[in-house]
Amino acid sequence: QVQLVESGGGLVQAGGPLRLSCAASGRTAYAMGWFRQAPGKEREFVSAINWSGGRTSYADSVKGRFTISRDGAKNTVYLRMNSLTPEDTAVYYCAARPLALATDPKVYDYWGQGTQVTVSS
Protein backbone atom coordinates (compact mmCIF):
# COMPACT_ATOMS: atom_id res chain seq x y z
CA GLN A 1 0.00 0.00 0.00
CA VAL A 2 1.12 3.53 -0.77
CA GLN A 3 -0.47 6.71 0.51
CA LEU A 4 0.15 9.92 -1.42
CA VAL A 5 -0.47 13.48 -0.28
CA GLU A 6 0.04 16.41 -2.66
CA SER A 7 0.68 19.98 -1.62
CA GLY A 8 1.93 23.25 -3.05
CA GLY A 9 -0.89 24.18 -5.38
CA GLY A 10 -2.36 27.65 -5.50
CA LEU A 11 -2.93 30.76 -7.55
CA VAL A 12 -0.01 32.15 -9.53
CA GLN A 13 0.36 34.77 -12.24
CA ALA A 14 1.32 33.75 -15.74
CA GLY A 15 5.05 33.44 -16.08
CA GLY A 16 5.52 32.60 -12.44
CA PRO A 17 6.81 29.45 -10.77
CA LEU A 18 5.24 26.94 -8.44
CA ARG A 19 6.51 23.77 -6.82
CA LEU A 20 4.28 20.83 -6.05
CA SER A 21 5.19 18.16 -3.54
CA CYS A 22 3.93 14.61 -3.18
CA ALA A 23 4.71 12.89 0.10
CA ALA A 24 4.54 9.12 -0.02
CA SER A 25 4.14 6.70 2.86
CA GLY A 26 4.14 2.95 2.87
CA ARG A 27 6.15 1.14 0.27
CA THR A 28 8.25 3.67 -1.61
CA ALA A 29 10.20 1.77 -4.26
CA TYR A 30 7.72 2.93 -6.84
CA ALA A 31 7.79 4.96 -9.99
CA MET A 32 5.93 8.23 -9.50
CA GLY A 33 3.98 10.29 -11.96
CA TRP A 34 2.30 13.67 -12.11
CA PHE A 35 -0.94 14.06 -14.02
CA ARG A 36 -3.37 16.91 -14.40
CA GLN A 37 -7.01 17.34 -15.23
CA ALA A 38 -8.63 20.55 -16.37
CA PRO A 39 -12.42 21.05 -16.27
CA GLY A 40 -14.10 19.16 -19.07
CA LYS A 41 -10.90 17.42 -20.11
CA GLU A 42 -9.43 14.01 -19.56
CA ARG A 43 -6.63 13.40 -17.12
CA GLU A 44 -3.33 13.85 -18.92
CA PHE A 45 0.25 12.88 -18.27
CA VAL A 46 2.62 15.61 -17.14
CA SER A 47 5.80 13.95 -15.91
CA ALA A 48 7.14 10.78 -14.30
CA ILE A 49 10.24 9.55 -12.54
CA ASN A 50 11.44 6.04 -11.81
CA TRP A 51 12.03 4.76 -8.30
CA SER A 52 15.72 5.61 -8.24
CA GLY A 53 15.30 9.03 -9.81
CA GLY A 54 17.59 8.13 -12.66
CA ARG A 55 14.99 8.29 -15.40
CA THR A 56 12.40 10.92 -16.11
CA SER A 57 9.78 11.62 -18.72
CA TYR A 58 7.85 14.76 -19.66
CA ALA A 59 4.86 15.64 -21.77
CA ASP A 60 5.82 17.79 -24.74
CA SER A 61 3.66 20.62 -23.42
CA VAL A 62 5.79 20.98 -20.28
CA LYS A 63 9.22 19.95 -21.50
CA GLY A 64 11.76 22.62 -20.69
CA ARG A 65 9.46 24.31 -18.16
CA PHE A 66 8.76 21.60 -15.58
CA THR A 67 11.24 19.50 -13.64
CA ILE A 68 10.45 16.37 -11.68
CA SER A 69 12.68 15.15 -8.88
CA ARG A 70 12.54 12.96 -5.83
CA ASP A 71 14.11 12.96 -2.39
CA GLY A 72 14.47 9.37 -1.24
CA ALA A 73 15.22 10.32 2.34
CA LYS A 74 11.96 12.26 2.57
CA ASN A 75 9.95 9.92 0.35
CA THR A 76 8.82 12.96 -1.54
CA VAL A 77 8.50 13.75 -5.23
CA TYR A 78 8.54 17.31 -6.48
CA LEU A 79 7.31 19.02 -9.61
CA ARG A 80 8.96 22.35 -10.19
CA MET A 81 6.91 24.36 -12.66
CA ASN A 82 8.31 27.46 -14.34
CA SER A 83 6.92 29.85 -16.95
CA LEU A 84 3.38 28.87 -16.10
CA THR A 85 0.58 29.77 -18.50
CA PRO A 86 -3.21 29.75 -18.06
CA GLU A 87 -3.24 26.50 -20.05
CA ASP A 88 -1.47 24.86 -17.10
CA THR A 89 -4.50 25.48 -14.89
CA ALA A 90 -5.77 22.13 -13.62
CA VAL A 91 -5.97 19.82 -10.65
CA TYR A 92 -2.61 18.11 -10.38
CA TYR A 93 -2.40 14.55 -9.10
CA CYS A 94 0.55 12.41 -8.18
CA ALA A 95 0.41 8.69 -8.66
CA ALA A 96 2.56 5.64 -7.96
CA ARG A 97 3.12 2.30 -9.59
CA PRO A 98 5.64 -0.49 -9.18
CA LEU A 99 8.37 -1.11 -11.70
CA ALA A 100 9.00 1.29 -14.53
CA LEU A 101 7.65 4.78 -15.01
CA ALA A 102 4.75 5.14 -17.42
CA THR A 103 2.73 7.83 -19.12
CA ASP A 104 -0.66 6.07 -19.12
CA PRO A 105 -2.67 6.96 -16.02
CA LYS A 106 -4.53 3.64 -16.21
CA VAL A 107 -1.45 1.70 -15.15
CA TYR A 108 -0.91 3.63 -11.94
CA ASP A 109 -2.16 1.91 -8.81
CA TYR A 110 -2.19 4.66 -6.22
CA TRP A 111 -3.35 8.26 -6.41
CA GLY A 112 -3.29 11.34 -4.24
CA GLN A 113 -6.28 13.58 -3.69
CA GLY A 114 -5.03 16.29 -6.05
CA THR A 115 -4.00 19.91 -5.64
CA GLN A 116 -5.44 22.82 -7.59
CA VAL A 117 -3.14 24.99 -9.68
CA THR A 118 -4.63 28.15 -11.13
CA VAL A 119 -2.63 30.42 -13.42
CA SER A 120 -4.03 33.88 -14.00
CA SER A 121 -3.33 35.85 -17.14
Side-chain angles (χ1 to χ4, degrees), residues 28-32 49-55 70 72 97 99-101:
T28 55
Y30 277 62
M32 303 289 291
I49 189 167
N50 72 337
W51 73 271
S52 70
R55 285 193 63 223
R70 70 189 302 163
R97 70 182 302 270
L99 303 177
L101 62 84

Side-chain angles (χ1 to χ4, degrees), residues 38-52:
K41 294 188 176 181
E42 293 190 354
R43 192 167 298 189
E44 66 173 1
F45 169 73
V46 175
S47 183
I49 189 167
N50 72 337
W51 73 271
S52 70

Side-chain angles (χ1 to χ4, degrees), residues 100-118:
L101 62 84
T103 62
D104 184 352
K106 292 190 288 292
V107 302
Y108 281 79
D109 300 312
Y110 304 100
W111 292 84
Q113 80 288 352
T115 186
Q116 176 71 47
V117 172
T118 302

